[in-house]
């Protein structure tokens, strides 16, 4: 009988595709299939020719782009020299996750499905296109598609005699077991931020611990929005960047939340543990030291401030000994309960920690072994770089609006990364932030004579500050900026800098302060007022136009 094995590969930007891939992996284990779940860029693409059965779960990002963790796979798959029948032994299925409010809806999944067909693959089902805009989210498509998928897979690979599908009420083993070390055992101090290999630039697995040099509020104290200009020291990091590039920052949870979490689950923050994979072939989570403390795990790894997904409630229901709580958890993890789950979690942006408070009997029964199955890891956040290396060598600056807003919950919602960054005070010692740089989507003209029209309301001006600094240092003159904010006196970021450049004839600046007069004035009004100049730059100067929000 053919070996019953399934490979689930995902391309995920925000974690939804990974969460869905892991859900499929759990479904496979319940059907006694040997199953591996991994990111597309982590698998050896050349080995696909030996795989009998693969499910691809792919998100589409931006303007129809593949997620970061499948870019190498994407380039390989579309090589012209791949033979037409190279995947003829492959049975596959493609599940796409996208948003129909974007023009290239689920472009990656559609294109992948087509390419696998060209290479001789045999589709088990038509490509499924999950849509964020649906009232029930992508699950409206995923749920029925999975029913059909398991029917197809079990027809090809029937259950071995004497085995039945493991009931959803039965808890699958955790991915890792957590072994506490004796309290008196010496623990080597492990430096988590392993530097990148000599000559290699910092990356997600090897971020650079950059020292915070300054953290300056650039909005008036009386203004509702707290916006920071933060400067990092990147000397000796090997980091290089140009205007339009992006810095990735790995944030951490606030001490109060960490303390609450440990209290709720009766965890001792300073206990050391080591992780052991339950199944051979499972790699340990990167960026977690071995041994590690509970405090480190909760502060730097577990995303206790994210809005929990359906899979969180599904696993929580397994641990529940309280009938009322278990019923509610089962409802939240059922297909019928998705509307109610959306109202409970997504609409008010309730955090994982807050959801745990609402299920106290269940929460205190969570085995520590399951923490990494239950709660995803903290994702890095992307910021446009707001400075140029030509103007500020060995420095990197960002412009950060601190995210804070109200929902129907009594406590205001706060952005994890921006709140943490705003709290850092370099005057209180050596404060460091793990970061690395990625190429951005904006490319500024190589020819210094090409004029540039930049439209950057609010913190959208960040990449243009980098571009203007870079272009001025290179002697480019055709710099035209349309900047908009609410009040000249409260949130006119980098005012002095712009005015100096205007005086020197290096910048043409148009400002729109929407609340400084009766009728609201926005950047589009200033563009219309200056249409002759804009048209002149476009038609005769071949100007490039850039817009950032």
């Amino acid at each position: 009988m053919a070996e019953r094995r399934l490979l689930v590969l995902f391309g995920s930007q925000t974690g939804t595709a990974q969460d869905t891939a892991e859900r499929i992996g759990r479904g496979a284990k319940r059907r006694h299939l040997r199953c591996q779940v991994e990111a597309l860029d982590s698998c050896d693409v050349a080995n696909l020719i030996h795989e009998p059965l693969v499910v691809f779960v792919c998100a589409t990002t931006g303007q129809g782009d593949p997620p970061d963790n499948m870019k190498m796979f994407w380039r390989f798959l579309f090589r012209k020299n791949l033979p037409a029948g190279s995947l003829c032994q492959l049975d596959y299925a493609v599940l796409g996750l996208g948003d129909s409010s974007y023009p290239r809806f689920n472009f990656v999944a559609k294109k992948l499905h087509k390419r696998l067909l060209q290479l001789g693959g045999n589709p088990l089902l038509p490509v499924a296109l999950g849509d964020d805009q649906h009232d029930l989210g992508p699950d409206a498509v995923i749920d029925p598609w999975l029913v059909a998928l398991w029917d197809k897979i079990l027809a090809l690979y029937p259950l071995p005699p004497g085995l039945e599908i493991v009931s959803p009420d039965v808890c699958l083993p955790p991915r890792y077991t957590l072994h506490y070390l004796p309290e008196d055992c010496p623990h080597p101090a492990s430096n988590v931020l392993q530097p990148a290999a000599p000559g290699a630039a910092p990356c997600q697995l090897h971020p650079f611990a950059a020292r915070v040099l300054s953290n300056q509020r650039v909005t008036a104290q009386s203004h509702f929005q707290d916006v920071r200009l933060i400067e990092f020291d990147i000397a000796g990091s090997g980091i290089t960047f140009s205007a339009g590039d992006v810095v990735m920052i790995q944030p951490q949870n606030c001490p109060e939340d960490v303390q609450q979490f440990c209290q709720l689950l009766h965890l001792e923050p300073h206990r050391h543990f080591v992780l052991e994979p339950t199944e051979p072939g499972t790699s340990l989570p990167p960026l977690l030291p071995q041994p590690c403390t509970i405090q480190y795990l909760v502060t730097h790894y577990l995303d206790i401030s994210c809005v929990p997904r359906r899979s969180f409630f599904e696993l929580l229901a397994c641990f529940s000994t309280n009938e009322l709580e278990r019923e509610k958890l089962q409802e939240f993890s059922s297909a019928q309960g998705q509307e109610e789950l959306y109202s409970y979690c997504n609409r008010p942006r309730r955090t994982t920690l807050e959801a745990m408070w609402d299920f106290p009997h269940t929460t205190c029964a969570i085995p520590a072994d399951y923490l990494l199955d239950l709660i995803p890891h903290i994702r890095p956040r992307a910021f446009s770089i707001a400075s140029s290396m030509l103007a500020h060598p060995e420095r990197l600056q960002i412009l950060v609006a601190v995210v804070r807003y109200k929902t129907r919950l009594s406590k205001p919602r706060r952005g994890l990364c921006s709140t943490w960054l705003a709290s850092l005070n370099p005057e209180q010692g050596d404060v460091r932030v793990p970061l690395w740089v990625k190429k951005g989507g904006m490319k500024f003209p190589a020819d210094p004579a090409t004029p540039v029209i930049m439209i950057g309301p609010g913190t959208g001006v960040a990449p243009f500050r980098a571009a203007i600094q870079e272009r001025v240092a290179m002697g480019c003159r055709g710099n035209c900026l349309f900047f908009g904010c609410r009040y000249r006196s409260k949130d006119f970021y980098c005012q002095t800098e712009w005015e100096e450049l205007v005086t020197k004839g290096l910048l043409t600046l148009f400002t729109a302060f929407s609340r400084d007069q009766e009728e609201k004035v926005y950047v589009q009004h200033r563009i219309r007022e200056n249409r002759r100049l804009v048209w002149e730059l476009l038609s005769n100067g071949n100007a490039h136009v850039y817009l950032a929000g």
Side-chain angles (χ1 to χ4, degrees), residues 167-195:
S167 150
D169 302 332
V170 175
C171 220
L172 292 169
R175 252 183 311 179
Y176 307 102
T177 47
L178 191 142
H179 296 286
Y180 283 116
L181 300 178
E183 303 218 16
D184 51 2
C185 157
H187 309 296
S190 47
N191 175 19
V192 177
L193 290 181
Q194 298 297 335

Side-chain angles (χ1 to χ4, degrees), residues 443-446 450-454 537-538 541-546:
K443 297 275 178 289
F444 290 88
T450 306
V452 169
I453 300 169
M454 294 161 278
L537 289 172
L538 288 172
N542 285 327
H544 291 202
V545 180
Y546 298 87

